[in-house]
Amino acid sequence: MLISLLKKYQSDFFPLLGTSFQKEDFCEIDLNVNTPDLDLEAIQTYDGLDFYIQNELKRKEAKVGVGGYLEKRVLYQQSNNFKSEAENRDIHLGVDWWSAAETEIYAPLDGKIHSFQYNDLYLDYGATIILQHELDDLVFYTLYGHLNLASLGNLEKGMLIKKGRPFTAMGNRNENGGWVPHLHFQIIKNMMGKEGDFPGVTSKRLLVEFSKNCPDPNVFFVY
């Protein structure tokens, strides 16, 4: 139901990275464990992942890499935040937008600040903002992770964020959880009582439940 509603209004969405990028500036970045010729060991280091991302952008003559919804990834095994004795979380629930630190991020539609937080565990979100939206009386949320810390300083819960407003930017590795700069963008139907944080990676056992609650965010790719 939510995706159908979003598709109905899709032509009205503002581009997440603004209007300075064109459709040809984007390319797919594939980090699935089954991707041929992907060096799974190398990309588990910052430098190795950065080299792969930059090489893909250069090879495809692009400025921004996009992708990753429901990808099974090896990246998270570097951090105990994604591990437990029962099961590991390694399936990605959002879409990543890979670009330079300080790349501005714009509100795709009107919303208000639901919550924000600095999630400082290794390979966590780092600086995080969650917006609350309402379309045709249906409430849902968008999560923005791996941001710059400065953008959290001027926020208040309930603050209105108008469509097309640049309200945050991608952070560097010292403020974004230790990642190569990018935006983690995720749709959430039910926040399940959480504030400033929400799982962006799930396990195989919980995949059906979480993929229903966090549908495909590619509907917001409107360039």
Side-chain angles (χ1 to χ4, degrees), residues 50-115:
D50 187 42
F51 177 83
Y52 177 75
I53 298 296
Q54 299 308 320
N55 188 63
E56 287 293 282
L57 294 177
K58 182 178 180 181
R59 183 174 69 86
K60 297 177 179 179
E61 299 182 340
K63 298 177 182 178
V64 183
V66 183
Y69 181 61
L70 299 189
E71 278 187 348
K72 182 178 175 66
R73 295 174 166 181
V74 72
L75 301 173
Y76 310 108
Q77 300 316 302
Q78 309 165 69
S79 172
N80 290 330
N81 188 37
F82 302 96
K83 298 179 180 180
S84 72
E85 291 184 4
E87 59 190 354
N88 292 334
R89 295 187 294 131
D90 59 4
I91 302 174
H92 192 240
L93 292 169
V95 167
D96 288 332
W97 300 60
W98 304 88
S99 190
E102 300 306 320
T103 298
E104 289 190 314
I105 299 161
Y106 295 74
L109 68 166
D110 290 347
K112 63 181 180 181
I113 300 293
H114 170 269
S115 52

Side-chain angles (χ1 to χ4, degrees), residues 12-13 36 106 111 121 170-171 176 179 187 196 211-212:
D12 294 328
F13 295 162
Y106 295 74
L121 295 177
M170 298 182 193
N176 74 0
W179 288 95
I187 301 172
S211 61
K212 287 181 178 178

Side-chain angles (χ1 to χ4, degrees), residues 5-181:
L5 177 64
L6 293 175
K7 287 181 177 178
K8 174 183 174 182
Y9 287 96
Q10 188 177 39
S11 62
D12 294 328
F13 295 162
F14 194 85
L16 278 170
L17 302 189
T19 56
S20 61
F21 293 99
Q22 306 301 315
K23 191 171 184 178
E24 57 268 24
D25 292 326
F26 296 84
C27 71
E28 181 182 3
I29 296 291
D30 188 347
L31 295 171
N32 194 295
V33 295
N34 297 318
T35 300
D37 302 322
L38 180 60
D39 189 334
L40 298 180
E41 183 175 352
I43 64 169
Q44 291 187 68
T45 67
Y46 182 94
D47 290 340
L49 180 59
D50 187 42
F51 177 83
Y52 177 75
I53 298 296
Q54 299 308 320
N55 188 63
E56 287 293 282
L57 294 177
K58 182 178 180 181
R59 183 174 69 86
K60 297 177 179 179
E61 299 182 340
K63 298 177 182 178
V64 183
V66 183
Y69 181 61
L70 299 189
E71 278 187 348
K72 182 178 175 66
R73 295 174 166 181
V74 72
L75 301 173
Y76 310 108
Q77 300 316 302
Q78 309 165 69
S79 172
N80 290 330
N81 188 37
F82 302 96
K83 298 179 180 180
S84 72
E85 291 184 4
E87 59 190 354
N88 292 334
R89 295 187 294 131
D90 59 4
I91 302 174
H92 192 240
L93 292 169
V95 167
D96 288 332
W97 300 60
W98 304 88
S99 190
E102 300 306 320
T103 298
E104 289 190 314
I105 299 161
Y106 295 74
L109 68 166
D110 290 347
K112 63 181 180 181
I113 300 293
H114 170 269
S115 52
F116 55 96
Q117 184 168 288
Y118 182 44
N119 297 295
D120 61 351
L121 295 177
Y122 179 53
L123 297 188
D124 206 333
Y125 287 131
T128 312
I129 298 173
I130 299 172
L131 300 184
Q132 179 177 324
H133 311 279
E134 185 173 343
L135 284 176
D136 291 354
D137 298 322
L138 182 64
V139 174
F140 67 97
Y141 308 85
T142 52
L143 181 148
Y144 307 77
H146 311 305
L147 310 175
N148 64 359
L149 268 172
S151 63
L152 302 188
N154 300 317
L155 301 182
E156 296 179 2
K157 286 186 178 182
M159 176 186 293
L160 296 179
I161 305 293
K162 297 295 291 182
K163 180 178 78 171
R165 171 185 166 184
F167 69 101
T168 187
M170 298 182 193
N172 63 51
R173 67 186 299 184
N174 297 316
E175 57 192 353
N176 74 0
W179 288 95
V180 174

